[in-house]
Amino acid sequence: ANDASNENAHSEHSENPDTWKCSEKQRNFIQKIVRDNRLDPKEVAVLADELFQLPVQNLNRMQASGLIDALLDLAGKKGGRK
């Protein structure tokens, strides 16, 4: 019942899609790989879930690094350049 007032007090910890736990550089790189290779964002979400059981935004720096490697691998398999 207290969720709404609690959410406002901790807005920086809310599920804001613009708040990522990894570095800004990693976030931008992940988004660039997805864009440049026309990957489906849903596919990326599934991959993050399979690898780490977490949404992409909740990955820490080490996990984001693993996801980036997996995305580059995926992009390579889709005929993107390595």
XYZ file of all heavy atoms in Angstrom:
645
model
N 0.836 -1.205 0.000
C 0.000 0.000 0.000
C 0.869 1.252 0.000
O 0.467 2.281 -0.457
C -0.918 -0.011 1.205
N 2.069 1.127 0.550
C 2.972 2.264 0.694
C 3.857 2.480 -0.518
O 4.685 3.362 -0.535
C 3.861 2.038 1.923
C 3.777 3.199 2.892
O 3.156 4.208 2.586
N 4.398 3.044 4.046
N 3.684 1.667 -1.550
C 4.604 1.650 -2.685
C 4.760 3.003 -3.372
O 5.858 3.401 -3.693
C 4.166 0.615 -3.716
C 4.394 -0.798 -3.207
O 5.037 -0.949 -2.156
O 3.918 -1.730 -3.862
N 3.668 3.711 -3.606
C 3.719 4.960 -4.362
C 4.594 5.998 -3.664
O 5.470 6.588 -4.279
C 2.325 5.512 -4.600
N 4.380 6.207 -2.364
C 5.169 7.213 -1.656
C 6.618 6.753 -1.529
O 7.537 7.544 -1.581
C 4.573 7.497 -0.278
O 4.581 6.312 0.489
N 6.808 5.465 -1.385
C 8.143 4.902 -1.291
C 8.901 5.102 -2.589
O 10.087 5.389 -2.586
C 8.026 3.403 -0.975
C 9.109 2.951 -0.022
O 9.901 3.756 0.434
N 9.135 1.666 0.255
N 8.207 4.923 -3.703
C 8.830 5.054 -5.023
C 9.375 6.459 -5.232
O 10.454 6.637 -5.756
C 7.794 4.741 -6.107
C 8.322 3.804 -7.163
C 7.239 3.360 -8.112
O 6.347 2.610 -7.705
O 7.294 3.799 -9.269
N 8.611 7.464 -4.813
C 9.046 8.842 -4.998
C 10.296 9.142 -4.180
O 11.181 9.835 -4.636
C 7.931 9.825 -4.617
C 6.769 9.746 -5.594
O 6.930 9.270 -6.715
N 5.605 10.199 -5.172
N 10.369 8.580 -2.987
C 11.515 8.822 -2.118
C 12.783 8.197 -2.704
O 13.872 8.669 -2.455
C 11.239 8.269 -0.737
N 12.613 7.131 -3.476
C 13.771 6.420 -4.026
C 13.734 6.436 -5.548
O 14.034 5.437 -6.180
C 13.797 4.983 -3.519
C 13.903 4.878 -2.043
N 15.032 5.230 -1.359
C 13.016 4.482 -1.116
C 14.831 5.052 -0.068
N 13.612 4.598 0.106
N 13.389 7.572 -6.129
C 13.206 7.614 -7.578
C 14.478 7.211 -8.333
O 14.400 6.625 -9.392
C 12.730 8.989 -8.024
O 13.663 9.962 -7.621
N 15.650 7.481 -7.747
C 16.875 7.129 -8.466
C 17.082 5.617 -8.509
O 17.871 5.121 -9.287
C 18.100 7.834 -7.875
C 18.529 7.347 -6.503
C 17.787 8.016 -5.355
O 16.796 8.725 -5.605
O 18.199 7.824 -4.204
N 16.359 4.876 -7.667
C 16.473 3.415 -7.666
C 15.271 2.745 -8.322
O 15.164 1.542 -8.310
C 16.617 2.901 -6.232
C 17.856 3.399 -5.570
N 19.111 3.126 -6.050
C 18.030 4.166 -4.479
C 19.999 3.703 -5.269
N 19.372 4.343 -4.314
N 14.383 3.539 -8.888
C 13.175 2.961 -9.480
C 13.520 2.263 -10.793
O 14.634 2.348 -11.282
C 12.122 4.046 -9.721
O 12.534 4.861 -10.795
N 12.546 1.606 -11.378
C 12.759 0.876 -12.629
C 12.702 1.822 -13.826
O 12.065 1.538 -14.815
C 11.693 -0.222 -12.772
C 11.870 -1.358 -11.790
C 13.236 -2.035 -11.919
O 13.607 -2.415 -13.036
O 13.917 -2.175 -10.904
N 13.368 2.940 -13.724
C 13.424 3.900 -14.818
C 14.250 3.275 -15.937
O 15.400 2.894 -15.713
C 14.078 5.189 -14.302
C 14.161 6.258 -15.362
O 14.099 5.971 -16.561
N 14.302 7.492 -14.932
N 13.689 3.167 -17.141
C 14.434 2.520 -18.226
C 15.724 3.253 -18.590
O 16.593 2.689 -19.235
C 13.457 2.527 -19.403
C 12.393 3.482 -19.041
C 12.385 3.615 -17.548
N 15.870 4.503 -18.164
C 17.087 5.249 -18.460
C 18.183 5.008 -17.424
O 19.280 5.518 -17.559
C 16.783 6.752 -18.536
C 15.946 7.085 -19.757
O 16.012 6.315 -20.744
O 15.227 8.077 -19.721
N 17.878 4.258 -16.369
C 18.851 4.002 -15.318
C 19.456 2.623 -15.510
O 18.784 1.615 -15.334
C 18.180 4.097 -13.928
O 17.524 5.346 -13.828
C 19.208 3.985 -12.830
N 20.704 2.595 -15.907
C 21.422 1.331 -16.115
C 22.491 1.206 -15.053
O 23.072 2.200 -14.625
C 22.071 1.323 -17.500
C 21.115 1.222 -18.647
C 19.948 1.919 -18.807
C 21.238 0.391 -19.799
N 19.361 1.567 -19.985
C 20.130 0.633 -20.616
C 22.202 -0.528 -20.218
C 19.940 -0.016 -21.827
C 22.024 -1.174 -21.424
C 20.898 -0.925 -22.217
N 22.777 -0.026 -14.612
C 23.793 -0.239 -13.584
C 25.205 -0.290 -14.154
O 26.161 -0.053 -13.442
C 23.506 -1.543 -12.824
C 22.314 -1.416 -11.905
C 22.171 -2.632 -11.030
C 21.011 -2.443 -10.071
N 20.726 -3.661 -9.325
N 25.324 -0.602 -15.448
C 26.657 -0.651 -16.057
C 27.109 0.781 -16.358
O 26.387 1.735 -16.120
C 26.635 -1.498 -17.325
S 25.557 -0.871 -18.622
N 28.308 0.927 -16.899
C 28.807 2.263 -17.215
C 28.046 2.836 -18.416
O 27.470 2.097 -19.212
C 30.304 2.215 -17.530
O 30.513 1.632 -18.797
N 28.070 4.150 -18.526
C 27.396 4.817 -19.642
C 28.007 4.379 -20.973
O 27.303 4.188 -21.962
C 27.498 6.332 -19.471
C 26.586 7.083 -20.419
C 26.622 8.588 -20.205
O 27.102 9.033 -19.155
O 26.167 9.303 -21.124
N 29.340 4.195 -20.976
C 30.038 3.729 -22.177
C 29.513 2.367 -22.617
O 29.282 2.141 -23.802
C 31.539 3.608 -21.869
C 32.428 4.403 -22.766
C 33.882 4.142 -22.376
C 34.730 5.323 -22.776
N 36.074 5.249 -22.287
N 29.335 1.462 -21.642
C 28.832 0.120 -21.953
C 27.405 0.191 -22.473
O 27.061 -0.473 -23.443
C 28.888 -0.773 -20.710
C 30.291 -1.208 -20.353
C 30.313 -2.007 -19.070
O 29.718 -1.618 -18.075
N 31.004 -3.136 -19.097
N 26.603 1.005 -21.812
C 25.209 1.165 -22.238
C 25.154 1.645 -23.685
O 24.436 1.095 -24.517
C 24.507 2.161 -21.311
C 23.148 2.572 -21.802
C 22.633 3.739 -20.996
N 21.477 4.308 -21.665
C 20.690 5.198 -21.116
N 20.897 5.608 -19.903
N 19.668 5.679 -21.786
N 25.945 2.672 -23.986
C 25.964 3.217 -25.346
C 26.459 2.183 -26.348
O 25.944 2.094 -27.463
C 26.843 4.475 -25.405
C 26.226 5.637 -24.649
O 25.021 5.665 -24.401
N 27.044 6.591 -24.256
N 27.456 1.393 -25.949
C 28.011 0.379 -26.845
C 26.981 -0.717 -27.113
O 26.795 -1.140 -28.258
C 29.304 -0.201 -26.256
C 30.108 -1.021 -27.232
C 30.193 -0.660 -28.570
C 30.783 -2.141 -26.811
C 30.947 -1.411 -29.473
C 31.528 -2.907 -27.708
C 31.610 -2.540 -29.042
N 26.288 -1.159 -26.064
C 25.233 -2.176 -26.229
C 24.175 -1.651 -27.200
O 23.783 -2.337 -28.145
C 24.595 -2.546 -24.866
C 25.594 -3.351 -24.023
C 23.300 -3.337 -25.066
C 25.192 -3.538 -22.573
N 23.746 -0.409 -26.985
C 22.709 0.169 -27.846
C 23.213 0.333 -29.280
O 22.462 0.122 -30.232
C 22.237 1.513 -27.269
C 21.462 1.310 -25.976
C 21.133 2.607 -25.262
O 21.856 3.598 -25.355
N 20.040 2.601 -24.521
N 24.495 0.662 -29.444
C 25.075 0.817 -30.776
C 25.133 -0.537 -31.503
O 24.799 -0.614 -32.679
C 26.477 1.423 -30.659
C 27.184 1.627 -32.000
C 28.571 2.207 -31.781
C 29.405 2.441 -32.997
N 28.976 1.968 -34.281
N 25.545 -1.590 -30.789
C 25.601 -2.924 -31.398
C 24.206 -3.335 -31.872
O 24.031 -3.837 -32.976
C 26.145 -3.976 -30.396
C 27.591 -3.669 -30.015
C 26.052 -5.381 -30.991
C 28.083 -4.456 -28.807
N 23.215 -3.099 -31.013
C 21.827 -3.458 -31.350
C 21.375 -2.689 -32.590
O 20.840 -3.273 -33.534
C 20.883 -3.178 -30.149
C 19.424 -3.333 -30.543
C 21.229 -4.116 -28.991
N 21.636 -1.378 -32.601
C 21.236 -0.527 -33.739
C 21.961 -0.914 -35.022
O 21.343 -1.161 -36.046
C 21.566 0.942 -33.431
C 20.389 1.804 -33.110
C 20.743 3.294 -33.155
N 22.116 3.630 -32.845
C 22.561 3.906 -31.621
N 21.763 3.859 -30.590
N 23.833 4.223 -31.432
N 23.289 -0.951 -34.941
C 24.110 -1.181 -36.135
C 23.847 -2.534 -36.781
O 23.996 -2.687 -37.981
C 25.595 -1.065 -35.798
C 26.001 0.366 -35.464
O 25.145 1.269 -35.552
O 27.174 0.569 -35.111
N 23.493 -3.514 -35.958
C 23.285 -4.872 -36.476
C 21.810 -5.228 -36.592
O 21.467 -6.383 -36.855
C 24.026 -5.880 -35.597
C 25.519 -5.656 -35.644
O 26.168 -6.009 -36.615
N 26.063 -5.035 -34.618
N 20.971 -4.230 -36.359
C 19.519 -4.406 -36.436
C 19.066 -5.623 -35.630
O 18.283 -6.441 -36.096
C 19.062 -4.538 -37.893
C 19.285 -3.275 -38.706
C 18.669 -3.388 -40.095
N 18.804 -2.148 -40.837
C 19.898 -1.846 -41.561
N 20.918 -2.660 -41.605
N 19.928 -0.711 -42.228
N 19.611 -5.735 -34.420
C 19.194 -6.823 -33.533
C 17.856 -6.453 -32.906
O 17.566 -5.278 -32.685
C 20.242 -7.051 -32.436
C 21.647 -7.434 -32.904
C 22.578 -7.553 -31.702
C 21.634 -8.733 -33.686
N 17.063 -7.458 -32.605
C 15.786 -7.237 -31.949
C 16.041 -7.006 -30.467
O 16.631 -7.853 -29.806
C 14.902 -8.479 -32.163
C 13.512 -8.314 -31.577
O 13.281 -7.337 -30.838
O 12.664 -9.171 -31.855
N 15.602 -5.845 -29.924
C 15.812 -5.588 -28.489
C 15.243 -6.708 -27.604
O 15.788 -6.991 -26.547
C 15.080 -4.268 -28.247
C 15.053 -3.607 -29.583
C 14.983 -4.709 -30.602
N 14.163 -7.348 -28.070
C 13.595 -8.461 -27.301
C 14.585 -9.626 -27.243
O 14.695 -10.304 -26.232
C 12.281 -8.939 -27.929
C 11.140 -7.972 -27.730
C 9.848 -8.541 -28.293
C 8.785 -7.460 -28.341
N 8.066 -7.434 -29.593
N 15.289 -9.839 -28.342
C 16.297 -10.899 -28.401
C 17.431 -10.593 -27.413
O 17.949 -11.494 -26.742
C 16.863 -10.945 -29.830
C 17.406 -12.276 -30.262
C 17.869 -12.269 -31.720
O 17.352 -11.466 -32.538
O 18.756 -13.075 -32.019
N 17.794 -9.339 -27.310
C 18.844 -8.911 -26.385
C 18.385 -9.133 -24.944
O 19.144 -9.621 -24.109
C 19.212 -7.424 -26.623
C 20.258 -6.961 -25.632
C 19.700 -7.229 -28.055
N 17.123 -8.810 -24.666
C 16.564 -9.016 -23.332
C 16.564 -10.500 -22.963
O 16.908 -10.876 -21.842
C 15.149 -8.443 -23.257
N 16.200 -11.348 -23.934
C 16.192 -12.801 -23.704
C 17.616 -13.287 -23.433
O 17.850 -14.092 -22.528
C 15.559 -13.545 -24.915
C 15.821 -15.042 -24.837
C 14.069 -13.266 -24.985
N 18.581 -12.774 -24.206
C 19.974 -13.157 -24.035
C 20.473 -12.783 -22.638
O 21.094 -13.597 -21.945
C 20.833 -12.487 -25.110
C 22.307 -12.865 -25.175
C 22.490 -14.353 -25.466
C 23.020 -12.046 -26.241
N 20.180 -11.567 -22.208
C 20.587 -11.111 -20.865
C 19.950 -12.001 -19.797
O 20.592 -12.369 -18.813
C 20.188 -9.650 -20.650
N 18.688 -12.361 -20.025
C 17.985 -13.211 -19.069
C 18.589 -14.613 -19.029
O 18.762 -15.194 -17.968
C 16.495 -13.276 -19.426
C 15.690 -13.945 -18.325
O 15.729 -13.446 -17.185
O 15.051 -14.977 -18.604
N 18.940 -15.152 -20.204
C 19.543 -16.490 -20.267
C 20.922 -16.505 -19.599
O 21.262 -17.431 -18.877
C 19.690 -16.951 -21.723
C 18.390 -17.402 -22.339
C 18.532 -17.721 -23.832
O 19.648 -17.598 -24.390
O 17.507 -18.090 -24.431
N 21.693 -15.460 -19.847
C 23.056 -15.412 -19.316
C 23.104 -15.081 -17.826
O 23.887 -15.653 -17.078
C 23.895 -14.377 -20.087
C 24.192 -14.691 -21.554
C 24.850 -13.486 -22.219
C 25.082 -15.914 -21.679
N 22.273 -14.128 -17.398
C 22.412 -13.585 -16.039
C 21.117 -13.566 -15.224
O 21.108 -13.106 -14.097
C 22.987 -12.155 -16.102
C 24.242 -12.059 -16.911
C 24.226 -11.482 -18.166
C 25.435 -12.572 -16.435
C 25.388 -11.393 -18.935
C 26.594 -12.495 -17.199
C 26.571 -11.904 -18.451
N 20.012 -14.015 -15.816
C 18.707 -13.964 -15.159
C 18.379 -12.552 -14.673
O 17.811 -12.353 -13.602
C 18.615 -14.953 -13.962
C 18.689 -16.420 -14.355
C 20.096 -16.873 -14.744
O 21.039 -16.669 -13.992
N 20.239 -17.464 -15.910
N 18.756 -11.572 -15.497
C 18.505 -10.168 -15.168
C 18.124 -9.403 -16.423
O 18.558 -9.753 -17.517
C 19.782 -9.504 -14.612
C 20.234 -9.875 -13.212
C 21.627 -9.342 -12.959
C 19.263 -9.337 -12.176
N 17.330 -8.317 -16.259
C 17.091 -7.430 -17.406
C 18.397 -6.702 -17.757
O 19.257 -6.517 -16.887
C 16.045 -6.435 -16.900
C 15.708 -6.815 -15.514
C 16.611 -7.919 -15.068
N 18.521 -6.304 -19.003
C 19.751 -5.652 -19.475
C 20.134 -4.468 -18.574
O 21.291 -4.306 -18.206
C 19.585 -5.169 -20.940
C 20.836 -4.446 -21.418
C 19.277 -6.339 -21.857
N 19.156 -3.653 -18.192
C 19.436 -2.449 -17.399
C 20.013 -2.779 -16.027
O 20.649 -1.945 -15.410
C 18.156 -1.615 -17.192
C 17.666 -0.952 -18.440
C 16.732 -1.828 -19.251
O 16.683 -3.043 -19.087
N 15.981 -1.221 -20.155
N 19.789 -4.002 -15.539
C 20.247 -4.363 -14.197
C 21.614 -5.032 -14.183
O 22.106 -5.405 -13.127
C 19.227 -5.291 -13.517
C 17.965 -4.553 -13.120
O 17.835 -3.355 -13.367
N 17.035 -5.256 -12.524
N 22.220 -5.186 -15.342
C 23.528 -5.833 -15.395
C 24.602 -4.897 -14.842
O 24.609 -3.709 -15.142
C 23.888 -6.205 -16.841
C 22.933 -7.148 -17.571
C 23.422 -7.404 -18.989
C 22.760 -8.455 -16.820
N 25.498 -5.461 -14.044
C 26.619 -4.650 -13.563
C 27.682 -4.586 -14.662
O 27.503 -5.149 -15.737
C 27.177 -5.207 -12.238
C 27.748 -6.613 -12.378
O 28.242 -7.010 -13.443
N 27.683 -7.377 -11.307
N 28.779 -3.924 -14.404
C 29.804 -3.725 -15.444
C 30.350 -5.042 -15.975
O 30.559 -5.191 -17.170
C 30.944 -2.855 -14.915
C 30.519 -1.411 -14.741
C 31.584 -0.588 -14.051
N 31.052 0.715 -13.729
C 31.610 1.857 -14.121
N 32.712 1.845 -14.817
N 31.064 3.004 -13.804
N 30.615 -5.987 -15.075
C 31.183 -7.263 -15.495
C 30.183 -8.041 -16.358
O 30.533 -8.601 -17.395
C 31.566 -8.077 -14.258
C 32.404 -9.284 -14.557
S 32.531 -10.223 -13.035
C 34.251 -10.232 -12.804
N 28.916 -8.045 -15.930
C 27.877 -8.746 -16.689
C 27.642 -8.066 -18.037
O 27.481 -8.737 -19.060
C 26.573 -8.795 -15.878
C 26.681 -9.665 -14.641
C 25.584 -9.384 -13.632
O 25.070 -8.270 -13.524
N 25.215 -10.403 -12.861
N 27.638 -6.740 -18.035
C 27.438 -5.996 -19.286
C 28.550 -6.327 -20.272
O 28.310 -6.475 -21.466
C 27.387 -4.492 -19.008
N 29.761 -6.485 -19.753
C 30.892 -6.849 -20.593
C 30.655 -8.217 -21.237
O 30.906 -8.409 -22.426
C 32.171 -6.859 -19.744
O 33.271 -7.209 -20.530
N 30.130 -9.161 -20.462
C 29.797 -10.481 -20.988
C 28.707 -10.404 -22.042
O 28.757 -11.101 -23.062
N 27.718 -9.548 -21.798
C 26.622 -9.377 -22.755
C 27.155 -8.773 -24.058
O 26.769 -9.198 -25.149
C 25.517 -8.487 -22.172
C 24.325 -8.269 -23.109
C 23.552 -9.570 -23.324
C 23.395 -7.191 -22.586
N 28.049 -7.806 -23.947
C 28.640 -7.174 -25.133
C 29.353 -8.228 -25.974
O 29.179 -8.289 -27.193
C 29.590 -6.013 -24.729
C 28.754 -4.820 -24.234
C 30.479 -5.601 -25.897
C 29.544 -3.737 -23.528
N 30.147 -9.093 -25.318
C 30.827 -10.173 -26.044
C 29.819 -11.062 -26.756
O 30.002 -11.427 -27.922
C 31.669 -11.026 -25.085
C 32.921 -10.294 -24.611
O 33.302 -9.287 -25.242
O 33.515 -10.744 -23.615
N 28.742 -11.420 -26.045
C 27.710 -12.290 -26.627
C 27.012 -11.600 -27.797
O 26.721 -12.231 -28.812
C 26.700 -12.690 -25.552
N 26.752 -10.297 -27.665
C 26.095 -9.544 -28.744
C 26.996 -9.444 -29.977
O 26.522 -9.571 -31.100
C 25.715 -8.132 -28.265
C 24.544 -8.049 -27.302
C 24.375 -6.616 -26.804
C 23.265 -8.550 -27.947
N 28.289 -9.218 -29.744
C 29.225 -9.139 -30.868
C 29.289 -10.482 -31.581
O 29.336 -10.549 -32.811
C 30.614 -8.710 -30.385
C 30.719 -7.253 -29.930
C 32.073 -6.986 -29.291
C 30.472 -6.298 -31.080
N 29.247 -11.547 -30.796
C 29.240 -12.897 -31.354
C 27.967 -13.110 -32.179
O 28.018 -13.603 -33.294
C 29.322 -13.906 -30.199
C 29.720 -15.290 -30.673
O 30.634 -15.374 -31.511
O 29.120 -16.255 -30.198
N 26.848 -12.712 -31.604
C 25.545 -12.842 -32.273
C 25.541 -12.020 -33.560
O 25.098 -12.496 -34.607
C 24.445 -12.353 -31.318
C 23.007 -12.572 -31.730
C 22.685 -14.069 -31.709
C 22.074 -11.846 -30.773
N 26.042 -10.797 -33.481
C 26.093 -9.911 -34.656
C 26.963 -10.530 -35.742
O 26.622 -10.469 -36.933
C 26.613 -8.535 -34.252
N 28.063 -11.154 -35.345
C 28.957 -11.804 -36.300
C 28.259 -12.947 -37.016
O 28.393 -13.128 -38.217
N 27.461 -13.708 -36.262
C 26.737 -14.839 -36.838
C 25.632 -14.385 -37.781
O 25.217 -15.109 -38.660
C 26.141 -15.700 -35.723
C 27.178 -16.519 -35.006
C 26.561 -17.367 -33.920
C 27.642 -18.086 -33.130
N 27.263 -18.403 -31.788
N 25.133 -13.164 -37.548
C 24.051 -12.652 -38.397
C 24.589 -12.021 -39.664
O 23.877 -11.370 -40.395
C 23.214 -11.629 -37.615
C 22.330 -12.247 -36.586
C 21.390 -11.214 -36.017
C 20.413 -11.883 -35.080
N 19.075 -11.941 -35.586
N 25.883 -12.163 -39.890
C 26.453 -11.619 -41.124
C 27.022 -10.233 -40.933
O 27.457 -9.602 -41.883
N 27.034 -9.737 -39.673
C 27.675 -8.463 -39.401
C 29.180 -8.657 -39.498
O 29.656 -9.771 -39.577
N 29.913 -7.562 -39.455
C 31.375 -7.723 -39.540
C 31.928 -7.979 -38.159
O 31.433 -7.449 -37.181
C 31.992 -6.506 -40.192
C 31.587 -5.213 -39.552
C 32.072 -4.036 -40.380
N 31.997 -2.840 -39.573
C 30.855 -2.158 -39.394
N 29.745 -2.550 -39.947
N 30.843 -1.080 -38.634
N 32.968 -8.744 -38.084
C 33.607 -9.051 -36.790
C 34.730 -8.073 -36.548
O 35.405 -7.676 -37.475
C 34.177 -10.467 -36.827
C 33.137 -11.451 -36.433
C 33.702 -12.328 -35.309
C 32.572 -12.996 -34.612
N 32.772 -13.397 -33.311
